[in-house]
DNA sequence: ATGAAAGCGCTAACAA
DNA sequence: TTGTTAGCGCTTTCAT
């Protein structure tokens, strides 16, 4: 009886009193049935006598018993967990702080909970290999993985997606890419932003934002294309726009900048908000002296002064689309990505377009 | 390519199809050792011959093999996962959106990752039972649980904490309570906020915020106590302060309100921000006509116009303290809670105190 | 409708 | 230093 002795030793080590019920077998003994029956009863399977089932359930409830999910999931080879990874590649300070990502995470939590999945969150700091992603995909702990933001890891994600199907990414859709992406058309959004400013009378633009991430790079590209087509100069400013005191950076730069600039395309609402403050402090009126347009349409964009004109990304719809596609992929289907159209949200930080 | 050919030959001999390397046993066969040795080698145990270990690791790497964590954790009875639960009890809209909680979550993710733990996130909608918490604590999936915010579930948390030690909660510390709490002294913070306004000359205050959550209720209590001690009237307004268009609610109420009110104690920075907008729209100057103080010191408090005077809560330090205590409790120690002192952050939404 | 038995993939005590 | 063996706690045929 080495086995039994060993078992009791383990239990003693774990500080578990004899007689405490922690396994199906314990419940089975109490109910006078087999472990298999308890398993079926607790899982609500139909092939168990209704009366027996209720008796077993009562006993389980009485003891506050719940089946060990680790064991259950190992055996049934279905974890019921989705991994959510936020790569912090090009971020200056390596911590999860982006309010857009955090908000998306909130909605993902809602959608996944609704769908009966648990959410395993992982902050990843890429190190040049694909390890940050693969430790999640091949851990055996998750049925699928969602990546929030491509950061500067596009190639890594492509490579992993080649052999791991249940993977959905928030970010930029590049033509012909392998991995399933949900996101908005950032280039179109960038064009839309510049176009709105130009229509509203701006004649010299500046784009504010760090373009090392792919999405923002595309926003810049779109804005640049639109400006060029309209024969309007657009400069780009990215230094110090990721740090804590973005405000002071923007302030000094705007103060020194050619006064002819009359329109700011901000890469995100947060950047726009800092710009609003900086402009206020150096005494330039918005939208009179300078028009400002943001990106994301976070709730706080409506709260700034003046309220921020911005490009909307549908965060809730995006989360829903991601979860839906991931579920399909877990079922083996080959769900395609989704590029949502951005939309202009007019508020008071820009002038009314002369074309309206 | 001799290495590769040799490798394929071995694989053929072992009767393993390409890509079918899924278990320790598969690697063991390829390496010509036992599964136990592979386990030890991959876990980096010292009692394995260095040369063998490297050979085994090379093979594993080559096949992109990683041990199944579900199995490993079941067997070793140590999951390496911390559950993080956000109860949405008194929230009107049942979704994770509070920026304070989201920010705290971000920092928790940092701390836990740093400490080698995975984070399992669960949005919980309490239903009158303790099920929302116990499904996490007794799932066998986590080594410990962190609850972000007590919502209106204080009693439930107390009850669960009585039999489940590795539990740490962000929220309010009530004298004599069982569960380990980390938070700031909300009553002191409320007092501090009211005191600052009174010192700065305010003579009629209003507290803006839904007090069904315990923390905000304490902030209100503190503010009320301080106001009473100073002989200053303080009214309380909580209707519609949790919904989407908090702004319009505040706007209409402020417009109708007795013009004698000259100081607003906001329950959170977000509420304060809405108030700033509302005041701007009805043409009342801040801080000239009306002083406003927030609570939390979220990054965006520095971005409002005017910048928001507020009561600071140290989010990063709080996250660190929670993880530290949870680790201690997992080790069996009886780590006590932590009540941090709030601090006043003076900005431009209030006047300079006459006492300075 | 229920029980017996065989693992899920891994770790660790014990042997050699 | 390595192999053998016995489970971790559960689910699921296969019998009965």
């Amino acid at each position: 009886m080495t086995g039994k002795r060993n078992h009791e030793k383990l239990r003693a080590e774990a500080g578990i009193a004899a007689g405490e019920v922690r396994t199906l077998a314990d419940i089975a003994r109490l109910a006078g049935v087999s472990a298999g029956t308890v398993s079926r009863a607790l899982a609500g399977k139909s092939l168990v006598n209704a009366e027996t089932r209720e008796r077993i359930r009562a006993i389980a409830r009485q003891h506050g018993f719940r089946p060990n999910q680790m064991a259950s999931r190992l055996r049934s080879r279905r974890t019921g967990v989705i991994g959510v990874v936020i790569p912090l590649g090009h971020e200056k300070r390596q911590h999860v702080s982006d309010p857009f990502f955090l908000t998306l995470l909130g909605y993902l939590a809602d959608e996944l909970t609704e769908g009966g999945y648990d959410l395993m969150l992982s902050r990843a700091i890429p190190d040049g290999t694909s390890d940050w992603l693969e430790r999640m995909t091949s851990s055996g702990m998750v049925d699928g993985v969602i990546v929030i933001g491509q950061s500067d890891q596009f190639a890594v994600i492509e490579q992993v997606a080649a052999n791991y199907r249940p993977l959905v990414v928030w970010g930029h859709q590049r033509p012909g890419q392998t991995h399933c992406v949900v996101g908005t058309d950032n280039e179109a959004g960038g064009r839309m932003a510049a176009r709105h400013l130009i229509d509203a009378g701006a004649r010299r633009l500046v784009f504010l934002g760090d373009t090392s991430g792919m999405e923002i790079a595309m926003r810049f590209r779109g804005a640049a294309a639109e400006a060029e087509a309209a024969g309007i100069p657009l400069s780009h400013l990215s230094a110090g726009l990721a740090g804590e005191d973005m405000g002071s950076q923007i302030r000094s730069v705007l103060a020194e900048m050619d006064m002819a600039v009359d329109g700011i395309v901000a890469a995100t609402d947060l950047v726009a908000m800092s710009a609003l403050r900086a402009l206020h402090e150096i005494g330039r009126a918005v939208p009179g002296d300078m028009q400002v347009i943001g990106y994301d349409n976070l709730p706080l964009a409506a709260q700034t002064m003046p309220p921020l004109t911005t490009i909307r990304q549908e965060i809730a719809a995006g989360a829903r689309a991601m979860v839906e596609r991931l579920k399909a992929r877990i079922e083996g289907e080959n769900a395609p990505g989704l590029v949502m159209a951005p939309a202009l949200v007019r508020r008071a930080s820009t002038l009314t377009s002369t074309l309206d």
Side-chain angles (χ1 to χ4, degrees), chain A:
Chain A
M1 283 305 157
T2 331
K4 173 132 193 200
R5 174 180 254 133
N6 183 33
H7 175 77
E8 266 161 15
K9 189 170 139 218
L10 270 174
R11 212 154 67 173
E13 279 168 2
I16 294 165
E20 180 162 344
V21 6
R22 342 169 276 104
T23 72
L24 283 188
D26 295 336
I27 299 288
R29 207 182 318 110
L30 258 31
V33 296
S34 76
T37 301
V38 176
S39 172
R40 290 183 274 246
L42 262 30
K45 305 265 188 187
S46 53
L47 23 46
V48 83
N49 182 299
E51 189 197 331
T52 328
R53 182 175 61 227
E54 286 320 312
R55 207 177 79 249
I56 291 173
R57 287 192 149 164
I59 295 175
R61 206 175 314 118
Q62 203 170 332
H63 291 265
F65 172 81
R66 274 156 216 269
N68 182 305
Q69 292 304 304
M70 220 90 214
S72 164
R73 291 165 176 186
L74 170 60
R75 177 57 231 239
S76 58
R77 304 170 124 288
R78 195 225 168 242
T79 73
V81 181
I82 300 299
V84 173
V85 184
I86 304 183
L88 263 19
H90 66 284
E91 295 283 325
K92 300 298 170 291
R93 40 185 186 155
Q94 310 211 307
H95 113 242
V96 187
S97 61
D98 186 303
F100 180 83
F101 285 173
L102 249 18
T103 305
L104 182 54
L105 175 62
Y107 281 103
L108 283 173
D110 296 342
E111 290 293 331
L112 291 173
T113 304
E114 227 64 62
Y117 280 103
D118 286 324
L119 188 166
M120 190 127 138
L121 179 62
S122 165
R123 174 203 73 154
I125 298 179
D127 63 341
T129 75
S130 56
D131 195 68
W132 62 271
L133 221 197
E134 290 190 314
R135 85 198 280 169
M136 186 94 260
T137 58
S138 57
S139 66
M141 287 288 289
V142 299
D143 289 338
V145 172
I146 286 175
V147 177
I148 301 186
Q150 289 147 327
S151 185
D152 50 10
Q153 300 292 306
F154 194 94
V156 167
I157 297 172
E158 274 294 278
Q159 178 209 316
V160 172
N163 320 294
Y164 185 80
R165 315 317 319 292
L167 179 71
V168 177
V169 179
W170 174 274
H172 171 64
Q173 172 92 267
R174 180 183 283 181
Q177 78 182 52
T178 304
H179 68 266
C180 174
V181 123
V182 170
T184 48
D185 185 337
N186 288 288
E187 191 168 356
R191 276 201 307 274
M192 194 175 277
R195 166 55 47 199
H196 175 67
L197 254 29
I198 293 168
D199 284 348
R203 288 297 167 262
R204 206 174 194 310
L205 305 178
V206 60
F207 181 94
L208 251 43
D210 178 356
T211 48
S212 53
M214 183 151 271
E215 293 189 84
I216 291 180
M218 296 312 291
R219 292 173 199 173
F220 173 62
R221 175 190 288 198
E226 192 70 28
E228 182 167 12
I232 299 276
L234 177 138
S235 44
H236 175 206
L237 176 66
S238 76
L241 290 178
E244 271 294 357
D245 61 348
M246 180 160 57
S248 65
Q249 296 277 347
I250 293 180
R251 192 156 48 248
S252 61
V253 168
L254 286 182
E256 292 165 17
M257 185 175 280
D258 183 344
M259 284 299 130
V261 168
D262 54 8
I264 292 176
V265 179
T268 69
D269 285 347
L270 236 58
V271 170
M273 204 169 161
S274 288
L276 287 182
R277 268 219 58 66
L279 290 165
H280 179 74
E281 285 172 16
I282 61 176
R284 301 192 68 178
V286 175
D289 298 338
M290 178 85 86
Q291 302 193 59
V292 178
I293 185 167
Y295 206 109
D296 286 343
N297 194 33
L298 295 180
L300 61 83
Q303 303 288 338
T304 58
M305 285 191 298
L308 191 64
T309 293
T310 190
I311 303 296
R312 177 173 63 220
Q313 303 207 76
E314 294 283 11
I315 309 185
R320 204 171 314 117
M322 293 180 83
V323 171
E324 183 187 288
R325 277 160 176 72
L326 187 57
K327 279 180 178 167
R329 286 182 159 255
I330 289 172
E331 301 304 325
E333 299 168 38
N334 207 336
L338 170 68
V339 180
M340 298 179 287
L344 176 68
V345 177
R346 294 161 200 264
R347 295 205 184 88
S349 67
T350 55
L351 298 171
T352 301
S353 164
T354 54
L355 302 180
D356 286 345

mmCIF file of all heavy atoms in Angstrom, chain A residues 6-46:
data_model
loop_
_atom_site.group_PDB
_atom_site.id
_atom_site.type_symbol
_atom_site.label_atom_id
_atom_site.label_comp_id
_atom_site.label_asym_id
_atom_site.label_seq_id
_atom_site.Cartn_x
_atom_site.Cartn_y
_atom_site.Cartn_z
ATOM 1 N N ASN A 6 1.570 7.138 0.359
ATOM 2 C CA ASN A 6 2.082 8.303 -0.348
ATOM 3 C C ASN A 6 1.006 9.374 -0.456
ATOM 4 O O ASN A 6 1.241 10.552 -0.256
ATOM 5 C CB ASN A 6 2.542 7.882 -1.746
ATOM 6 C CG ASN A 6 3.144 9.046 -2.502
ATOM 7 O OD1 ASN A 6 3.755 9.904 -1.882
ATOM 8 N ND2 ASN A 6 2.956 9.060 -3.790
ATOM 9 N N HIS A 7 -0.177 8.926 -0.745
ATOM 10 C CA HIS A 7 -1.289 9.849 -0.901
ATOM 11 C C HIS A 7 -1.570 10.606 0.402
ATOM 12 O O HIS A 7 -1.751 11.811 0.406
ATOM 13 C CB HIS A 7 -2.528 9.068 -1.335
ATOM 14 C CG HIS A 7 -3.753 9.907 -1.410
ATOM 15 N ND1 HIS A 7 -3.980 10.768 -2.456
ATOM 16 C CD2 HIS A 7 -4.798 10.037 -0.573
ATOM 17 C CE1 HIS A 7 -5.121 11.391 -2.253
ATOM 18 N NE2 HIS A 7 -5.651 10.969 -1.113
ATOM 19 N N GLU A 8 -1.559 9.864 1.472
ATOM 20 C CA GLU A 8 -1.831 10.511 2.749
ATOM 21 C C GLU A 8 -0.741 11.486 3.144
ATOM 22 O O GLU A 8 -0.990 12.502 3.767
ATOM 23 C CB GLU A 8 -2.002 9.458 3.851
ATOM 24 C CG GLU A 8 -3.464 9.099 4.034
ATOM 25 C CD GLU A 8 -3.627 7.774 4.749
ATOM 26 O OE1 GLU A 8 -2.644 7.300 5.332
ATOM 27 O OE2 GLU A 8 -4.746 7.224 4.690
ATOM 28 N N LYS A 9 0.443 11.151 2.728
ATOM 29 C CA LYS A 9 1.559 12.034 3.020
ATOM 30 C C LYS A 9 1.372 13.353 2.270
ATOM 31 O O LYS A 9 1.490 14.435 2.841
ATOM 32 C CB LYS A 9 2.858 11.363 2.575
ATOM 33 C CG LYS A 9 4.102 12.104 3.019
ATOM 34 C CD LYS A 9 5.334 11.265 2.766
ATOM 35 C CE LYS A 9 6.473 12.092 2.222
ATOM 36 N NZ LYS A 9 7.237 11.384 1.209
ATOM 37 N N LEU A 10 1.029 13.243 1.005
ATOM 38 C CA LEU A 10 0.789 14.434 0.200
ATOM 39 C C LEU A 10 -0.288 15.301 0.837
ATOM 40 O O LEU A 10 -0.178 16.504 0.938
ATOM 41 C CB LEU A 10 0.324 14.036 -1.203
ATOM 42 C CG LEU A 10 1.420 13.838 -2.242
ATOM 43 C CD1 LEU A 10 0.830 13.308 -3.528
ATOM 44 C CD2 LEU A 10 2.167 15.136 -2.479
ATOM 45 N N ARG A 11 -1.335 14.636 1.271
ATOM 46 C CA ARG A 11 -2.446 15.352 1.834
ATOM 47 C C ARG A 11 -2.024 16.070 3.114
ATOM 48 O O ARG A 11 -2.394 17.206 3.354
ATOM 49 C CB ARG A 11 -3.592 14.390 2.126
ATOM 50 C CG ARG A 11 -4.903 15.064 1.971
ATOM 51 C CD ARG A 11 -5.981 14.088 1.628
ATOM 52 N NE ARG A 11 -6.240 13.185 2.733
ATOM 53 C CZ ARG A 11 -7.249 12.315 2.713
ATOM 54 N NH1 ARG A 11 -8.028 12.232 1.663
ATOM 55 N NH2 ARG A 11 -7.443 11.516 3.711
ATOM 56 N N ALA A 12 -1.211 15.379 3.893
ATOM 57 C CA ALA A 12 -0.731 15.975 5.129
ATOM 58 C C ALA A 12 0.121 17.199 4.810
ATOM 59 O O ALA A 12 -0.023 18.250 5.421
ATOM 60 C CB ALA A 12 0.087 14.955 5.913
ATOM 61 N N GLU A 13 0.945 17.063 3.803
ATOM 62 C CA GLU A 13 1.797 18.178 3.408
ATOM 63 C C GLU A 13 0.967 19.378 2.987
ATOM 64 O O GLU A 13 1.312 20.519 3.238
ATOM 65 C CB GLU A 13 2.701 17.772 2.243
ATOM 66 C CG GLU A 13 3.928 16.996 2.691
ATOM 67 C CD GLU A 13 4.624 16.360 1.507
ATOM 68 O OE1 GLU A 13 4.171 16.565 0.379
ATOM 69 O OE2 GLU A 13 5.619 15.652 1.736
ATOM 70 N N ALA A 14 -0.121 19.109 2.326
ATOM 71 C CA ALA A 14 -0.971 20.197 1.840
ATOM 72 C C ALA A 14 -1.849 20.749 2.961
ATOM 73 O O ALA A 14 -2.604 21.680 2.759
ATOM 74 C CB ALA A 14 -1.829 19.714 0.689
ATOM 75 N N GLY A 15 -1.722 20.160 4.112
ATOM 76 C CA GLY A 15 -2.492 20.670 5.235
ATOM 77 C C GLY A 15 -3.971 20.389 5.133
ATOM 78 O O GLY A 15 -4.807 21.149 5.575
ATOM 79 N N ILE A 16 -4.298 19.277 4.533
ATOM 80 C CA ILE A 16 -5.701 18.942 4.345
ATOM 81 C C ILE A 16 -6.135 17.916 5.378
ATOM 82 O O ILE A 16 -5.535 16.856 5.522
ATOM 83 C CB ILE A 16 -5.930 18.379 2.932
ATOM 84 C CG1 ILE A 16 -5.654 19.481 1.907
ATOM 85 C CG2 ILE A 16 -7.342 17.850 2.779
ATOM 86 C CD1 ILE A 16 -5.494 18.970 0.519
ATOM 87 N N ALA A 17 -7.162 18.240 6.098
ATOM 88 C CA ALA A 17 -7.637 17.344 7.144
ATOM 89 C C ALA A 17 -8.219 16.076 6.533
ATOM 90 O O ALA A 17 -8.796 16.106 5.447
ATOM 91 C CB ALA A 17 -8.699 18.053 7.971
ATOM 92 N N ALA A 18 -8.045 14.968 7.246
ATOM 93 C CA ALA A 18 -8.631 13.717 6.774
ATOM 94 C C ALA A 18 -10.141 13.886 6.743
ATOM 95 O O ALA A 18 -10.724 14.568 7.578
ATOM 96 C CB ALA A 18 -8.242 12.587 7.721
ATOM 97 N N GLY A 19 -10.762 13.276 5.747
ATOM 98 C CA GLY A 19 -12.208 13.365 5.691
ATOM 99 C C GLY A 19 -12.718 14.566 4.908
ATOM 100 O O GLY A 19 -13.882 14.640 4.573
ATOM 101 N N GLU A 20 -11.841 15.498 4.618
ATOM 102 C CA GLU A 20 -12.279 16.633 3.809
ATOM 103 C C GLU A 20 -12.566 16.146 2.392
ATOM 104 O O GLU A 20 -11.857 15.316 1.855
ATOM 105 C CB GLU A 20 -11.195 17.702 3.771
ATOM 106 C CG GLU A 20 -11.609 18.888 2.937
ATOM 107 C CD GLU A 20 -10.759 20.110 3.233
ATOM 108 O OE1 GLU A 20 -10.079 20.117 4.268
ATOM 109 O OE2 GLU A 20 -10.787 21.028 2.425
ATOM 110 N N VAL A 21 -13.608 16.673 1.816
ATOM 111 C CA VAL A 21 -13.963 16.197 0.486
ATOM 112 C C VAL A 21 -13.434 17.141 -0.580
ATOM 113 O O VAL A 21 -13.760 18.316 -0.597
ATOM 114 C CB VAL A 21 -15.500 15.989 0.365
ATOM 115 C CG1 VAL A 21 -16.215 16.463 1.605
ATOM 116 C CG2 VAL A 21 -16.048 16.621 -0.872
ATOM 117 N N ARG A 22 -12.545 16.583 -1.434
ATOM 118 C CA ARG A 22 -11.957 17.420 -2.476
ATOM 119 C C ARG A 22 -11.996 16.770 -3.843
ATOM 120 O O ARG A 22 -11.609 17.383 -4.821
ATOM 121 C CB ARG A 22 -10.511 17.792 -2.173
ATOM 122 C CG ARG A 22 -10.085 17.624 -0.733
ATOM 123 C CD ARG A 22 -8.592 17.767 -0.589
ATOM 124 N NE ARG A 22 -7.877 16.541 -0.875
ATOM 125 C CZ ARG A 22 -7.193 16.259 -1.958
ATOM 126 N NH1 ARG A 22 -7.095 17.141 -2.921
ATOM 127 N NH2 ARG A 22 -6.603 15.108 -2.122
ATOM 128 N N THR A 23 -12.416 15.543 -3.910
ATOM 129 C CA THR A 23 -12.407 14.874 -5.210
ATOM 130 C C THR A 23 -13.749 14.223 -5.508
ATOM 131 O O THR A 23 -14.570 14.027 -4.616
ATOM 132 C CB THR A 23 -11.329 13.775 -5.262
ATOM 133 O OG1 THR A 23 -11.758 12.687 -4.444
ATOM 134 C CG2 THR A 23 -9.991 14.284 -4.780
ATOM 135 N N LEU A 24 -13.916 13.877 -6.744
ATOM 136 C CA LEU A 24 -15.120 13.167 -7.155
ATOM 137 C C LEU A 24 -15.273 11.901 -6.333
ATOM 138 O O LEU A 24 -16.383 11.539 -5.937
ATOM 139 C CB LEU A 24 -15.021 12.769 -8.632
ATOM 140 C CG LEU A 24 -15.254 13.837 -9.685
ATOM 141 C CD1 LEU A 24 -15.310 13.172 -11.043
ATOM 142 C CD2 LEU A 24 -16.536 14.568 -9.403
ATOM 143 N N ALA A 25 -14.153 11.258 -6.073
ATOM 144 C CA ALA A 25 -14.195 10.005 -5.330
ATOM 145 C C ALA A 25 -14.773 10.210 -3.932
ATOM 146 O O ALA A 25 -15.517 9.365 -3.428
ATOM 147 C CB ALA A 25 -12.796 9.409 -5.244
ATOM 148 N N ASP A 26 -14.431 11.330 -3.313
ATOM 149 C CA ASP A 26 -14.961 11.622 -1.982
ATOM 150 C C ASP A 26 -16.475 11.726 -2.027
ATOM 151 O O ASP A 26 -17.178 11.148 -1.192
ATOM 152 C CB ASP A 26 -14.373 12.940 -1.451
ATOM 153 C CG ASP A 26 -12.872 12.834 -1.225
ATOM 154 O OD1 ASP A 26 -12.389 11.694 -1.028
ATOM 155 O OD2 ASP A 26 -12.186 13.866 -1.256
ATOM 156 N N ILE A 27 -16.960 12.463 -2.994
ATOM 157 C CA ILE A 27 -18.402 12.626 -3.143
ATOM 158 C C ILE A 27 -19.031 11.268 -3.441
ATOM 159 O O ILE A 27 -20.082 10.912 -2.888
ATOM 160 C CB ILE A 27 -18.727 13.601 -4.295
ATOM 161 C CG1 ILE A 27 -18.140 14.974 -4.015
ATOM 162 C CG2 ILE A 27 -20.241 13.699 -4.490
ATOM 163 C CD1 ILE A 27 -18.832 15.752 -2.937
ATOM 164 N N ALA A 28 -18.363 10.524 -4.288
ATOM 165 C CA ALA A 28 -18.871 9.209 -4.677
ATOM 166 C C ALA A 28 -19.069 8.333 -3.436
ATOM 167 O O ALA A 28 -20.102 7.686 -3.268
ATOM 168 C CB ALA A 28 -17.899 8.546 -5.649
ATOM 169 N N ARG A 29 -18.088 8.343 -2.560
ATOM 170 C CA ARG A 29 -18.165 7.543 -1.347
ATOM 171 C C ARG A 29 -19.371 7.975 -0.511
ATOM 172 O O ARG A 29 -20.157 7.175 -0.044
ATOM 173 C CB ARG A 29 -16.875 7.702 -0.540
ATOM 174 C CG ARG A 29 -16.571 6.494 0.344
ATOM 175 C CD ARG A 29 -15.311 6.701 1.177
ATOM 176 N NE ARG A 29 -14.226 7.329 0.436
ATOM 177 C CZ ARG A 29 -13.791 8.570 0.654
ATOM 178 N NH1 ARG A 29 -14.340 9.307 1.595
ATOM 179 N NH2 ARG A 29 -12.794 9.053 -0.058
ATOM 180 N N LEU A 30 -19.498 9.283 -0.360
ATOM 181 C CA LEU A 30 -20.596 9.839 0.424
ATOM 182 C C LEU A 30 -21.963 9.490 -0.170
ATOM 183 O O LEU A 30 -22.947 9.284 0.552
ATOM 184 C CB LEU A 30 -20.460 11.377 0.490
ATOM 185 C CG LEU A 30 -19.907 11.997 1.772
ATOM 186 C CD1 LEU A 30 -18.912 11.071 2.454
ATOM 187 C CD2 LEU A 30 -19.247 13.329 1.465
ATOM 188 N N ALA A 31 -22.010 9.412 -1.474
ATOM 189 C CA ALA A 31 -23.299 9.163 -2.136
ATOM 190 C C ALA A 31 -23.534 7.681 -2.391
ATOM 191 O O ALA A 31 -24.617 7.275 -2.807
ATOM 192 C CB ALA A 31 -23.357 9.936 -3.441
ATOM 193 N N GLY A 32 -22.491 6.894 -2.139
ATOM 194 C CA GLY A 32 -22.619 5.467 -2.376
ATOM 195 C C GLY A 32 -22.717 5.118 -3.855
ATOM 196 O O GLY A 32 -23.411 4.182 -4.246
ATOM 197 N N VAL A 33 -22.030 5.893 -4.672
ATOM 198 C CA VAL A 33 -21.994 5.586 -6.107
ATOM 199 C C VAL A 33 -20.552 5.621 -6.575
ATOM 200 O O VAL A 33 -19.643 5.788 -5.762
ATOM 201 C CB VAL A 33 -22.822 6.605 -6.922
ATOM 202 C CG1 VAL A 33 -24.296 6.536 -6.562
ATOM 203 C CG2 VAL A 33 -22.277 8.004 -6.715
ATOM 204 N N SER A 34 -20.336 5.495 -7.855
ATOM 205 C CA SER A 34 -18.971 5.523 -8.366
ATOM 206 C C SER A 34 -18.600 6.934 -8.826
ATOM 207 O O SER A 34 -19.468 7.779 -9.056
ATOM 208 C CB SER A 34 -18.829 4.576 -9.545
ATOM 209 O OG SER A 34 -19.419 5.148 -10.682
ATOM 210 N N ALA A 35 -17.315 7.149 -8.951
ATOM 211 C CA ALA A 35 -16.822 8.460 -9.372
ATOM 212 C C ALA A 35 -17.392 8.844 -10.724
ATOM 213 O O ALA A 35 -17.737 10.000 -10.971
ATOM 214 C CB ALA A 35 -15.302 8.453 -9.417
ATOM 215 N N GLY A 36 -17.508 7.856 -11.581
ATOM 216 C CA GLY A 36 -18.050 8.121 -12.912
ATOM 217 C C GLY A 36 -19.441 8.717 -12.847
ATOM 218 O O GLY A 36 -19.757 9.684 -13.550
ATOM 219 N N THR A 37 -20.239 8.152 -11.991
ATOM 220 C CA THR A 37 -21.612 8.654 -11.855
ATOM 221 C C THR A 37 -21.628 10.092 -11.333
ATOM 222 O O THR A 37 -22.398 10.925 -11.803
ATOM 223 C CB THR A 37 -22.412 7.752 -10.898
ATOM 224 O OG1 THR A 37 -22.414 6.428 -11.416
ATOM 225 C CG2 THR A 37 -23.847 8.234 -10.783
ATOM 226 N N VAL A 38 -20.761 10.349 -10.377
ATOM 227 C CA VAL A 38 -20.692 11.714 -9.848
ATOM 228 C C VAL A 38 -20.299 12.674 -10.961
ATOM 229 O O VAL A 38 -20.900 13.743 -11.125
ATOM 230 C CB VAL A 38 -19.675 11.814 -8.696
ATOM 231 C CG1 VAL A 38 -19.559 13.255 -8.226
ATOM 232 C CG2 VAL A 38 -20.091 10.919 -7.546
ATOM 233 N N SER A 39 -19.316 12.287 -11.729
ATOM 234 C CA SER A 39 -18.880 13.126 -12.843
ATOM 235 C C SER A 39 -20.049 13.431 -13.766
ATOM 236 O O SER A 39 -20.303 14.581 -14.112
ATOM 237 C CB SER A 39 -17.772 12.404 -13.621
ATOM 238 O OG SER A 39 -17.468 13.116 -14.800
ATOM 239 N N ARG A 40 -20.794 12.398 -14.118
ATOM 240 C CA ARG A 40 -21.935 12.587 -15.012
ATOM 241 C C ARG A 40 -23.009 13.458 -14.372
ATOM 242 O O ARG A 40 -23.580 14.342 -15.012
ATOM 243 C CB ARG A 40 -22.509 11.223 -15.401
ATOM 244 C CG ARG A 40 -21.579 10.445 -16.327
ATOM 245 C CD ARG A 40 -22.185 9.120 -16.766
ATOM 246 N NE ARG A 40 -21.918 8.065 -15.784
ATOM 247 C CZ ARG A 40 -21.153 6.999 -16.033
ATOM 248 N NH1 ARG A 40 -20.570 6.852 -17.205
ATOM 249 N NH2 ARG A 40 -20.953 6.092 -15.110
ATOM 250 N N ALA A 41 -23.262 13.208 -13.102
ATOM 251 C CA ALA A 41 -24.307 13.972 -12.413
ATOM 252 C C ALA A 41 -23.961 15.462 -12.371
ATOM 253 O O ALA A 41 -24.780 16.322 -12.685
ATOM 254 C CB ALA A 41 -24.489 13.447 -10.994
ATOM 255 N N LEU A 42 -22.720 15.748 -11.997
ATOM 256 C CA LEU A 42 -22.310 17.141 -11.868
ATOM 257 C C LEU A 42 -22.227 17.848 -13.217
ATOM 258 O O LEU A 42 -22.403 19.062 -13.312
ATOM 259 C CB LEU A 42 -20.959 17.208 -11.153
ATOM 260 C CG LEU A 42 -21.003 17.513 -9.650
ATOM 261 C CD1 LEU A 42 -22.267 17.018 -8.985
ATOM 262 C CD2 LEU A 42 -19.764 16.967 -8.957
ATOM 263 N N ALA A 43 -21.974 17.059 -14.253
ATOM 264 C CA ALA A 43 -21.886 17.659 -15.583
ATOM 265 C C ALA A 43 -23.269 17.790 -16.206
ATOM 266 O O ALA A 43 -23.413 18.305 -17.305
ATOM 267 C CB ALA A 43 -20.978 16.811 -16.468
ATOM 268 N N GLY A 44 -24.272 17.296 -15.483
ATOM 269 C CA GLY A 44 -25.633 17.410 -15.978
ATOM 270 C C GLY A 44 -25.949 16.529 -17.165
ATOM 271 O O GLY A 44 -26.823 16.835 -17.966
ATOM 272 N N LYS A 45 -25.246 15.426 -17.278
ATOM 273 C CA LYS A 45 -25.510 14.504 -18.392
ATOM 274 C C LYS A 45 -26.887 13.861 -18.219
ATOM 275 O O LYS A 45 -27.330 13.599 -17.105
ATOM 276 C CB LYS A 45 -24.450 13.403 -18.421
ATOM 277 C CG LYS A 45 -23.037 13.932 -18.489
ATOM 278 C CD LYS A 45 -22.541 13.987 -19.915
ATOM 279 C CE LYS A 45 -21.054 14.348 -19.908
ATOM 280 N NZ LYS A 45 -20.521 14.583 -21.231
ATOM 281 N N SER A 46 -27.491 13.570 -19.311
ATOM 282 C CA SER A 46 -28.856 13.049 -19.276
ATOM 283 C C SER A 46 -28.910 11.582 -18.847
ATOM 284 O O SER A 46 -29.906 11.126 -18.301
ATOM 285 C CB SER A 46 -29.501 13.188 -20.653
ATOM 286 O OG SER A 46 -28.669 12.588 -21.619
#
